[in-house]
């Protein structure tokens, strides 16, 4: 088993610290990218490392690592070349590009060249139909490729060069890309300043600008608040709400009287704590004795607008705990205590597996079944069939 470097272990601790203490297993995805950044793939040692630092068993880690195609389970080249062979790219010549590269490199799907430089794979979809046929190198796009340009890209890679992607930042190796996917910045000088968006992607923006189309009430200059600014605004709103409640409580403690008679000789109007000393008539809420602030309910908005504001907030959206604000939620989240109890029960029922057998195997039951099967065979003759507890006949 290989030993991971101190830098990797330090980065693992940094990744885990990004999540709440009782949700540390959420760090599994970036941790898998981290071990792939050191070894070039998720090895059995990498699975054991993730299980160790997160307190999981290897079966749980392996289930995640085998689900996502971005985690490679065997050594991968410096450059992962993915060619889209799905419907749109295929119609435009994607399969021809893939076949040309396979013949030129002498490898098939998910195979690596002898020099360890390139691993080739065909991809079902790379989500860039408007640029087809496309291929990616370590997930950076090369658009509108044909067999000749694709061969030129891989030849330059094998010669030690790094061709510039059509879109995105400067090309890097698969290990360097895995570090970024684990949540760490690309530290190469000027790397992220390279590249830019493709023209087909900007076509909609160009048409909107040409015809003067914009979202009603949208200000493109509205700044996006940082988390610190949002937290500050929420704290200020909460402080104002508490101050208002304190003032209203003090006003409610004063005895209510009768307002002075109006100058026009009319009847005196009722006075409550809310309007005492002002000579103003009481509002319906004050007349009822309520001390709640008169705040317009957000429910006056349509459910679609409120849901959109909750999921896509902007500078004009009230903070969740502002007075009178009710934030719609998709469902009631479980209580932290219930979640911890459920997780503890799952861990207790699925103890960490040893190296000799997968999690959940009961060696005692297997031995008992084997002995019963052997005893049944001896008693019934060589041709008899005896069913064991597992339902397998011998």
């Amino acid at each position: 088993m290989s030993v991971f470097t101190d830098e990797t272990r330090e980065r693992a601790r940094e990744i885990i610290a990004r999540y709440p203490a009782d949700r540390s297993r959420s760090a599994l995805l970036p941790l898998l990218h981290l071990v792939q950044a050191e070894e070039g793939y998720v090895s059995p040692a990498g699975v054991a490392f993730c299980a160790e630092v997160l307190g999981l068993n290897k079966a749980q880690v392996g289930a995640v690592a085998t689900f996502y195609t971005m985690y490679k389970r065997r050594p991968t080249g410096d450059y992962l070349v993915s060619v889209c062979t799905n419907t749109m790219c295929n119609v435009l010549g994607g399969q021809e590009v893939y076949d040309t590269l396979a013949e030129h490199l002498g490898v098939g799907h998910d195979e690596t060249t002898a020099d360890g430089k390139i691993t080739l794979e065909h991809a079902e979809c790379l989500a860039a139909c408007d640029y087809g046929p496309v291929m990616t190198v370590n997930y950076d796009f090369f658009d509108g490729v044909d067999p000749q340009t694709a061969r030129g890209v891989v030849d330059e890679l094998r010669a030690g060069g790094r061709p510039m992607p059509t879109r995105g930042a400067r090309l890097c190796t698969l290990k360097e890309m895995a570090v970024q996917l684990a949540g760490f910045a690309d530290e190469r000088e000027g790397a992220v300043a390279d590249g830019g968006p493709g023209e087909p992607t900007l076509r909609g923006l160009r048409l909107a600008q040409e015809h003067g189309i914009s979202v009603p009430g949208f200000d493109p200059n509205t700044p996006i608040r940082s988390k610190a600014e949002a937290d500050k605004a929420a704290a200020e709103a909460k402080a104002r709400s508490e101050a208002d409640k304190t003032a209203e409580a003090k006003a409610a403690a004063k005895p209510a009287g009768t307002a002075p008679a109006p100058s026009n000789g009319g009847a005196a109007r009722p006075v409550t704590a809310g309007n005492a000393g002002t000579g103003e008539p009481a509002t319906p809420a004050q007349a009822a004795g309520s001390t709640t602030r008169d705040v317009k309910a957000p429910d006056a908005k349509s459910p679609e607008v409120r849901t959109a504001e909750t999921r896509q907030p902007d500078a004009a959206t009230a903070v969740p705990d502002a007075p009178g604000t009710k934030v719609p939620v998709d469902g009631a989240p479980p209580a932290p205590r219930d979640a911890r109890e459920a997780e503890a029960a799952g861990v207790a029922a699925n103890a960490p597996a040893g190296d000799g057998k997968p999690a959940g195997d009961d060696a005692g039951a297997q031995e008992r079944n084997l002995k019963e099967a052997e005893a049944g065979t001896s008693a019934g003759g060589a041709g008899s069939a005896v069913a064991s507890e597992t339902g397998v006949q011998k």
Side-chain angles (χ1 to χ4, degrees), residues 344-379:
V347 171
N350 191 8
D355 293 334
K357 61 184 180 64
D361 285 354
D362 189 346
Q366 291 180 345
E367 293 178 0
R368 183 172 65 255
N369 293 340
L370 181 59
K371 290 179 179 179
E372 291 177 355
E374 291 176 346
T377 302
S378 300

PDB file of all heavy atoms in Angstrom, residues 344-379:
ATOM      1  N   ALA A 344     -25.538   6.869  12.828  1.00  0.00           N
ATOM      2  CA  ALA A 344     -24.896   5.974  13.782  1.00  0.00           C
ATOM      3  C   ALA A 344     -25.428   4.554  13.641  1.00  0.00           C
ATOM      4  O   ALA A 344     -24.676   3.579  13.721  1.00  0.00           O
ATOM      5  CB  ALA A 344     -25.114   6.492  15.204  1.00  0.00           C
ATOM      6  N   ALA A 345     -26.745   4.425  13.419  1.00  0.00           N
ATOM      7  CA  ALA A 345     -27.323   3.088  13.243  1.00  0.00           C
ATOM      8  C   ALA A 345     -26.782   2.419  11.990  1.00  0.00           C
ATOM      9  O   ALA A 345     -26.499   1.222  11.980  1.00  0.00           O
ATOM     10  CB  ALA A 345     -28.854   3.185  13.181  1.00  0.00           C
ATOM     11  N   GLY A 346     -26.612   3.198  10.910  1.00  0.00           N
ATOM     12  CA  GLY A 346     -26.061   2.637   9.688  1.00  0.00           C
ATOM     13  C   GLY A 346     -24.626   2.185   9.848  1.00  0.00           C
ATOM     14  O   GLY A 346     -24.221   1.129   9.355  1.00  0.00           O
ATOM     15  N   VAL A 347     -23.834   2.994  10.559  1.00  0.00           N
ATOM     16  CA  VAL A 347     -22.436   2.623  10.790  1.00  0.00           C
ATOM     17  C   VAL A 347     -22.348   1.377  11.657  1.00  0.00           C
ATOM     18  O   VAL A 347     -21.529   0.474  11.416  1.00  0.00           O
ATOM     19  CB  VAL A 347     -21.677   3.811  11.435  1.00  0.00           C
ATOM     20  CG1 VAL A 347     -20.294   3.374  11.871  1.00  0.00           C
ATOM     21  CG2 VAL A 347     -21.590   4.964  10.459  1.00  0.00           C
ATOM     22  N   ALA A 348     -23.190   1.308  12.688  1.00  0.00           N
ATOM     23  CA  ALA A 348     -23.154   0.142  13.567  1.00  0.00           C
ATOM     24  C   ALA A 348     -23.543  -1.137  12.833  1.00  0.00           C
ATOM     25  O   ALA A 348     -23.020  -2.214  13.118  1.00  0.00           O
ATOM     26  CB  ALA A 348     -24.094   0.360  14.756  1.00  0.00           C
ATOM     27  N   ALA A 349     -24.444  -1.018  11.867  1.00  0.00           N
ATOM     28  CA  ALA A 349     -24.885  -2.203  11.121  1.00  0.00           C
ATOM     29  C   ALA A 349     -23.943  -2.571   9.990  1.00  0.00           C
ATOM     30  O   ALA A 349     -24.092  -3.621   9.382  1.00  0.00           O
ATOM     31  CB  ALA A 349     -26.288  -1.963  10.556  1.00  0.00           C
ATOM     32  N   ASN A 350     -22.961  -1.730   9.703  1.00  0.00           N
ATOM     33  CA  ASN A 350     -22.046  -1.984   8.589  1.00  0.00           C
ATOM     34  C   ASN A 350     -20.630  -1.683   9.047  1.00  0.00           C
ATOM     35  O   ASN A 350     -20.086  -0.626   8.766  1.00  0.00           O
ATOM     36  CB  ASN A 350     -22.433  -1.116   7.386  1.00  0.00           C
ATOM     37  CG  ASN A 350     -21.705  -1.533   6.130  1.00  0.00           C
ATOM     38  OD1 ASN A 350     -21.027  -2.555   6.104  1.00  0.00           O
ATOM     39  ND2 ASN A 350     -21.831  -0.733   5.094  1.00  0.00           N
ATOM     40  N   ALA A 351     -20.083  -2.589   9.796  1.00  0.00           N
ATOM     41  CA  ALA A 351     -18.742  -2.370  10.360  1.00  0.00           C
ATOM     42  C   ALA A 351     -17.693  -2.310   9.256  1.00  0.00           C
ATOM     43  O   ALA A 351     -17.866  -2.881   8.181  1.00  0.00           O
ATOM     44  CB  ALA A 351     -18.411  -3.506  11.331  1.00  0.00           C
ATOM     45  N   PRO A 352     -16.576  -1.593   9.502  1.00  0.00           N
ATOM     46  CA  PRO A 352     -15.509  -1.531   8.488  1.00  0.00           C
ATOM     47  C   PRO A 352     -15.029  -2.925   8.107  1.00  0.00           C
ATOM     48  O   PRO A 352     -14.848  -3.804   8.956  1.00  0.00           O
ATOM     49  CB  PRO A 352     -14.416  -0.718   9.195  1.00  0.00           C
ATOM     50  CG  PRO A 352     -15.144   0.091  10.213  1.00  0.00           C
ATOM     51  CD  PRO A 352     -16.282  -0.771  10.668  1.00  0.00           C
ATOM     52  N   ALA A 353     -14.842  -3.125   6.815  1.00  0.00           N
ATOM     53  CA  ALA A 353     -14.435  -4.433   6.315  1.00  0.00           C
ATOM     54  C   ALA A 353     -12.926  -4.595   6.423  1.00  0.00           C
ATOM     55  O   ALA A 353     -12.166  -3.648   6.294  1.00  0.00           O
ATOM     56  CB  ALA A 353     -14.864  -4.600   4.861  1.00  0.00           C
ATOM     57  N   GLY A 354     -12.489  -5.823   6.649  1.00  0.00           N
ATOM     58  CA  GLY A 354     -11.078  -6.117   6.624  1.00  0.00           C
ATOM     59  C   GLY A 354     -10.601  -6.360   5.207  1.00  0.00           C
ATOM     60  O   GLY A 354     -11.368  -6.317   4.254  1.00  0.00           O
ATOM     61  N   ASP A 355      -9.315  -6.603   5.051  1.00  0.00           N
ATOM     62  CA  ASP A 355      -8.767  -6.826   3.720  1.00  0.00           C
ATOM     63  C   ASP A 355      -9.175  -8.184   3.150  1.00  0.00           C
ATOM     64  O   ASP A 355      -9.115  -8.402   1.950  1.00  0.00           O
ATOM     65  CB  ASP A 355      -7.234  -6.731   3.768  1.00  0.00           C
ATOM     66  CG  ASP A 355      -6.779  -5.312   4.078  1.00  0.00           C
ATOM     67  OD1 ASP A 355      -7.543  -4.384   3.762  1.00  0.00           O
ATOM     68  OD2 ASP A 355      -5.696  -5.161   4.645  1.00  0.00           O
ATOM     69  N   GLY A 356      -9.585  -9.128   4.022  1.00  0.00           N
ATOM     70  CA  GLY A 356      -9.830 -10.471   3.547  1.00  0.00           C
ATOM     71  C   GLY A 356     -11.203 -10.710   2.955  1.00  0.00           C
ATOM     72  O   GLY A 356     -11.391 -11.644   2.203  1.00  0.00           O
ATOM     73  N   LYS A 357     -12.185  -9.883   3.287  1.00  0.00           N
ATOM     74  CA  LYS A 357     -13.544 -10.124   2.812  1.00  0.00           C
ATOM     75  C   LYS A 357     -14.291  -8.807   2.725  1.00  0.00           C
ATOM     76  O   LYS A 357     -13.974  -7.853   3.421  1.00  0.00           O
ATOM     77  CB  LYS A 357     -14.279 -11.063   3.762  1.00  0.00           C
ATOM     78  CG  LYS A 357     -14.415 -10.524   5.193  1.00  0.00           C
ATOM     79  CD  LYS A 357     -15.066 -11.520   6.096  1.00  0.00           C
ATOM     80  CE  LYS A 357     -15.210 -10.976   7.528  1.00  0.00           C
ATOM     81  NZ  LYS A 357     -16.094  -9.825   7.580  1.00  0.00           N
ATOM     82  N   PRO A 358     -15.302  -8.699   1.861  1.00  0.00           N
ATOM     83  CA  PRO A 358     -16.093  -7.468   1.765  1.00  0.00           C
ATOM     84  C   PRO A 358     -17.003  -7.292   2.969  1.00  0.00           C
ATOM     85  O   PRO A 358     -17.238  -8.231   3.719  1.00  0.00           O
ATOM     86  CB  PRO A 358     -16.910  -7.683   0.479  1.00  0.00           C
ATOM     87  CG  PRO A 358     -17.002  -9.171   0.348  1.00  0.00           C
ATOM     88  CD  PRO A 358     -15.685  -9.704   0.878  1.00  0.00           C
ATOM     89  N   ALA A 359     -17.483  -6.064   3.164  1.00  0.00           N
ATOM     90  CA  ALA A 359     -18.345  -5.764   4.306  1.00  0.00           C
ATOM     91  C   ALA A 359     -19.627  -6.579   4.234  1.00  0.00           C
ATOM     92  O   ALA A 359     -20.196  -6.771   3.175  1.00  0.00           O
ATOM     93  CB  ALA A 359     -18.672  -4.270   4.342  1.00  0.00           C
ATOM     94  N   GLY A 360     -20.076  -7.059   5.390  1.00  0.00           N
ATOM     95  CA  GLY A 360     -21.358  -7.753   5.465  1.00  0.00           C
ATOM     96  C   GLY A 360     -21.254  -9.275   5.438  1.00  0.00           C
ATOM     97  O   GLY A 360     -22.215  -9.955   5.728  1.00  0.00           O
ATOM     98  N   ASP A 361     -20.089  -9.838   5.095  1.00  0.00           N
ATOM     99  CA  ASP A 361     -19.956 -11.294   5.052  1.00  0.00           C
ATOM    100  C   ASP A 361     -19.954 -11.870   6.467  1.00  0.00           C
ATOM    101  O   ASP A 361     -19.339 -11.313   7.382  1.00  0.00           O
ATOM    102  CB  ASP A 361     -18.666 -11.702   4.342  1.00  0.00           C
ATOM    103  CG  ASP A 361     -18.787 -11.527   2.845  1.00  0.00           C
ATOM    104  OD1 ASP A 361     -19.896 -11.213   2.395  1.00  0.00           O
ATOM    105  OD2 ASP A 361     -17.784 -11.708   2.144  1.00  0.00           O
ATOM    106  N   ASP A 362     -20.626 -12.984   6.651  1.00  0.00           N
ATOM    107  CA  ASP A 362     -20.667 -13.686   7.934  1.00  0.00           C
ATOM    108  C   ASP A 362     -19.946 -15.016   7.761  1.00  0.00           C
ATOM    109  O   ASP A 362     -20.504 -15.984   7.228  1.00  0.00           O
ATOM    110  CB  ASP A 362     -22.122 -13.898   8.363  1.00  0.00           C
ATOM    111  CG  ASP A 362     -22.210 -14.430   9.781  1.00  0.00           C
ATOM    112  OD1 ASP A 362     -21.174 -14.880  10.306  1.00  0.00           O
ATOM    113  OD2 ASP A 362     -23.312 -14.409  10.348  1.00  0.00           O
ATOM    114  N   ALA A 363     -18.684 -15.048   8.197  1.00  0.00           N
ATOM    115  CA  ALA A 363     -17.893 -16.264   7.996  1.00  0.00           C
ATOM    116  C   ALA A 363     -18.498 -17.453   8.733  1.00  0.00           C
ATOM    117  O   ALA A 363     -18.452 -18.590   8.262  1.00  0.00           O
ATOM    118  CB  ALA A 363     -16.454 -16.021   8.461  1.00  0.00           C
ATOM    119  N   GLY A 364     -19.071 -17.208   9.929  1.00  0.00           N
ATOM    120  CA  GLY A 364     -19.655 -18.297  10.693  1.00  0.00           C
ATOM    121  C   GLY A 364     -20.793 -18.967   9.949  1.00  0.00           C
ATOM    122  O   GLY A 364     -20.904 -20.199   9.923  1.00  0.00           O
ATOM    123  N   ALA A 365     -21.648 -18.173   9.350  1.00  0.00           N
ATOM    124  CA  ALA A 365     -22.769 -18.731   8.597  1.00  0.00           C
ATOM    125  C   ALA A 365     -22.277 -19.516   7.393  1.00  0.00           C
ATOM    126  O   ALA A 365     -22.822 -20.578   7.048  1.00  0.00           O
ATOM    127  CB  ALA A 365     -23.708 -17.610   8.150  1.00  0.00           C
ATOM    128  N   GLN A 366     -21.237 -19.030   6.746  1.00  0.00           N
ATOM    129  CA  GLN A 366     -20.709 -19.751   5.584  1.00  0.00           C
ATOM    130  C   GLN A 366     -20.149 -21.109   5.987  1.00  0.00           C
ATOM    131  O   GLN A 366     -20.369 -22.125   5.317  1.00  0.00           O
ATOM    132  CB  GLN A 366     -19.643 -18.905   4.901  1.00  0.00           C
ATOM    133  CG  GLN A 366     -20.193 -17.656   4.220  1.00  0.00           C
ATOM    134  CD  GLN A 366     -19.104 -16.855   3.552  1.00  0.00           C
ATOM    135  OE1 GLN A 366     -17.934 -17.061   3.811  1.00  0.00           O
ATOM    136  NE2 GLN A 366     -19.505 -15.944   2.691  1.00  0.00           N
ATOM    137  N   GLU A 367     -19.396 -21.133   7.092  1.00  0.00           N
ATOM    138  CA  GLU A 367     -18.828 -22.418   7.547  1.00  0.00           C
ATOM    139  C   GLU A 367     -19.951 -23.389   7.944  1.00  0.00           C
ATOM    140  O   GLU A 367     -19.873 -24.587   7.658  1.00  0.00           O
ATOM    141  CB  GLU A 367     -17.899 -22.158   8.729  1.00  0.00           C
ATOM    142  CG  GLU A 367     -16.634 -21.372   8.349  1.00  0.00           C
ATOM    143  CD  GLU A 367     -15.766 -21.095   9.560  1.00  0.00           C
ATOM    144  OE1 GLU A 367     -16.161 -21.511  10.676  1.00  0.00           O
ATOM    145  OE2 GLU A 367     -14.699 -20.470   9.390  1.00  0.00           O
ATOM    146  N   ARG A 368     -20.962 -22.884   8.609  1.00  0.00           N
ATOM    147  CA  ARG A 368     -22.065 -23.753   9.025  1.00  0.00           C
ATOM    148  C   ARG A 368     -22.789 -24.322   7.805  1.00  0.00           C
ATOM    149  O   ARG A 368     -23.118 -25.510   7.762  1.00  0.00           O
ATOM    150  CB  ARG A 368     -23.044 -22.953   9.895  1.00  0.00           C
ATOM    151  CG  ARG A 368     -24.196 -23.801  10.441  1.00  0.00           C
ATOM    152  CD  ARG A 368     -25.031 -23.022  11.449  1.00  0.00           C
ATOM    153  NE  ARG A 368     -25.697 -21.901  10.838  1.00  0.00           N
ATOM    154  CZ  ARG A 368     -25.324 -20.639  10.996  1.00  0.00           C
ATOM    155  NH1 ARG A 368     -24.274 -20.355  11.765  1.00  0.00           N
ATOM    156  NH2 ARG A 368     -25.993 -19.650  10.403  1.00  0.00           N
ATOM    157  N   ASN A 369     -23.036 -23.491   6.810  1.00  0.00           N
ATOM    158  CA  ASN A 369     -23.698 -23.972   5.598  1.00  0.00           C
ATOM    159  C   ASN A 369     -22.864 -25.041   4.898  1.00  0.00           C
ATOM    160  O   ASN A 369     -23.386 -26.037   4.379  1.00  0.00           O
ATOM    161  CB  ASN A 369     -23.945 -22.807   4.640  1.00  0.00           C
ATOM    162  CG  ASN A 369     -24.964 -21.827   5.194  1.00  0.00           C
ATOM    163  OD1 ASN A 369     -25.735 -22.193   6.068  1.00  0.00           O
ATOM    164  ND2 ASN A 369     -24.944 -20.601   4.692  1.00  0.00           N
ATOM    165  N   LEU A 370     -21.536 -24.821   4.863  1.00  0.00           N
ATOM    166  CA  LEU A 370     -20.654 -25.775   4.198  1.00  0.00           C
ATOM    167  C   LEU A 370     -20.676 -27.129   4.912  1.00  0.00           C
ATOM    168  O   LEU A 370     -20.745 -28.185   4.278  1.00  0.00           O
ATOM    169  CB  LEU A 370     -19.236 -25.208   4.137  1.00  0.00           C
ATOM    170  CG  LEU A 370     -18.192 -26.074   3.436  1.00  0.00           C
ATOM    171  CD1 LEU A 370     -18.598 -26.346   1.986  1.00  0.00           C
ATOM    172  CD2 LEU A 370     -16.812 -25.427   3.484  1.00  0.00           C
ATOM    173  N   LYS A 371     -20.614 -27.092   6.242  1.00  0.00           N
ATOM    174  CA  LYS A 371     -20.622 -28.345   6.996  1.00  0.00           C
ATOM    175  C   LYS A 371     -21.940 -29.090   6.809  1.00  0.00           C
ATOM    176  O   LYS A 371     -21.959 -30.311   6.659  1.00  0.00           O
ATOM    177  CB  LYS A 371     -20.395 -28.045   8.483  1.00  0.00           C
ATOM    178  CG  LYS A 371     -18.978 -27.575   8.800  1.00  0.00           C
ATOM    179  CD  LYS A 371     -18.816 -27.279  10.285  1.00  0.00           C
ATOM    180  CE  LYS A 371     -17.390 -26.827  10.588  1.00  0.00           C
ATOM    181  NZ  LYS A 371     -17.213 -26.503  12.037  1.00  0.00           N
ATOM    182  N   GLU A 372     -23.065 -28.346   6.836  1.00  0.00           N
ATOM    183  CA  GLU A 372     -24.357 -28.998   6.641  1.00  0.00           C
ATOM    184  C   GLU A 372     -24.466 -29.603   5.253  1.00  0.00           C
ATOM    185  O   GLU A 372     -25.031 -30.686   5.073  1.00  0.00           O
ATOM    186  CB  GLU A 372     -25.480 -27.983   6.858  1.00  0.00           C
ATOM    187  CG  GLU A 372     -25.620 -27.536   8.311  1.00  0.00           C
ATOM    188  CD  GLU A 372     -26.690 -26.484   8.473  1.00  0.00           C
ATOM    189  OE1 GLU A 372     -27.247 -26.051   7.438  1.00  0.00           O
ATOM    190  OE2 GLU A 372     -26.975 -26.093   9.621  1.00  0.00           O
ATOM    191  N   ALA A 373     -23.910 -28.897   4.245  1.00  0.00           N
ATOM    192  CA  ALA A 373     -23.961 -29.425   2.893  1.00  0.00           C
ATOM    193  C   ALA A 373     -23.123 -30.684   2.774  1.00  0.00           C
ATOM    194  O   ALA A 373     -23.525 -31.661   2.141  1.00  0.00           O
ATOM    195  CB  ALA A 373     -23.474 -28.362   1.902  1.00  0.00           C
ATOM    196  N   GLU A 374     -21.923 -30.669   3.397  1.00  0.00           N
ATOM    197  CA  GLU A 374     -21.060 -31.863   3.347  1.00  0.00           C
ATOM    198  C   GLU A 374     -21.716 -33.027   4.076  1.00  0.00           C
ATOM    199  O   GLU A 374     -21.664 -34.168   3.626  1.00  0.00           O
ATOM    200  CB  GLU A 374     -19.706 -31.524   3.961  1.00  0.00           C
ATOM    201  CG  GLU A 374     -18.879 -30.541   3.120  1.00  0.00           C
ATOM    202  CD  GLU A 374     -17.594 -30.157   3.806  1.00  0.00           C
ATOM    203  OE1 GLU A 374     -17.470 -30.426   5.022  1.00  0.00           O
ATOM    204  OE2 GLU A 374     -16.718 -29.576   3.128  1.00  0.00           O
ATOM    205  N   ALA A 375     -22.330 -32.747   5.226  1.00  0.00           N
ATOM    206  CA  ALA A 375     -22.985 -33.819   5.984  1.00  0.00           C
ATOM    207  C   ALA A 375     -24.152 -34.405   5.191  1.00  0.00           C
ATOM    208  O   ALA A 375     -24.356 -35.616   5.154  1.00  0.00           O
ATOM    209  CB  ALA A 375     -23.481 -33.283   7.332  1.00  0.00           C
ATOM    210  N   GLY A 376     -24.889 -33.553   4.513  1.00  0.00           N
ATOM    211  CA  GLY A 376     -26.010 -34.033   3.714  1.00  0.00           C
ATOM    212  C   GLY A 376     -25.555 -34.866   2.539  1.00  0.00           C
ATOM    213  O   GLY A 376     -26.178 -35.853   2.157  1.00  0.00           O
ATOM    214  N   THR A 377     -24.415 -34.499   1.943  1.00  0.00           N
ATOM    215  CA  THR A 377     -23.889 -35.257   0.814  1.00  0.00           C
ATOM    216  C   THR A 377     -23.440 -36.644   1.250  1.00  0.00           C
ATOM    217  O   THR A 377     -23.664 -37.652   0.579  1.00  0.00           O
ATOM    218  CB  THR A 377     -22.721 -34.493   0.177  1.00  0.00           C
ATOM    219  OG1 THR A 377     -23.185 -33.217  -0.237  1.00  0.00           O
ATOM    220  CG2 THR A 377     -22.163 -35.245  -1.013  1.00  0.00           C
ATOM    221  N   SER A 378     -22.778 -36.701   2.428  1.00  0.00           N
ATOM    222  CA  SER A 378     -22.297 -37.999   2.920  1.00  0.00           C
ATOM    223  C   SER A 378     -23.468 -38.909   3.260  1.00  0.00           C
ATOM    224  O   SER A 378     -23.440 -40.113   3.015  1.00  0.00           O
ATOM    225  CB  SER A 378     -21.420 -37.778   4.162  1.00  0.00           C
ATOM    226  OG  SER A 378     -20.314 -36.959   3.838  1.00  0.00           O
ATOM    227  N   ALA A 379     -24.532 -38.351   3.827  1.00  0.00           N
ATOM    228  CA  ALA A 379     -25.668 -39.181   4.235  1.00  0.00           C
ATOM    229  C   ALA A 379     -26.506 -39.626   3.054  1.00  0.00           C
ATOM    230  O   ALA A 379     -27.027 -40.718   3.005  1.00  0.00           O
ATOM    231  CB  ALA A 379     -26.553 -38.407   5.229  1.00  0.00           C
TER     232      ALA A 379
END
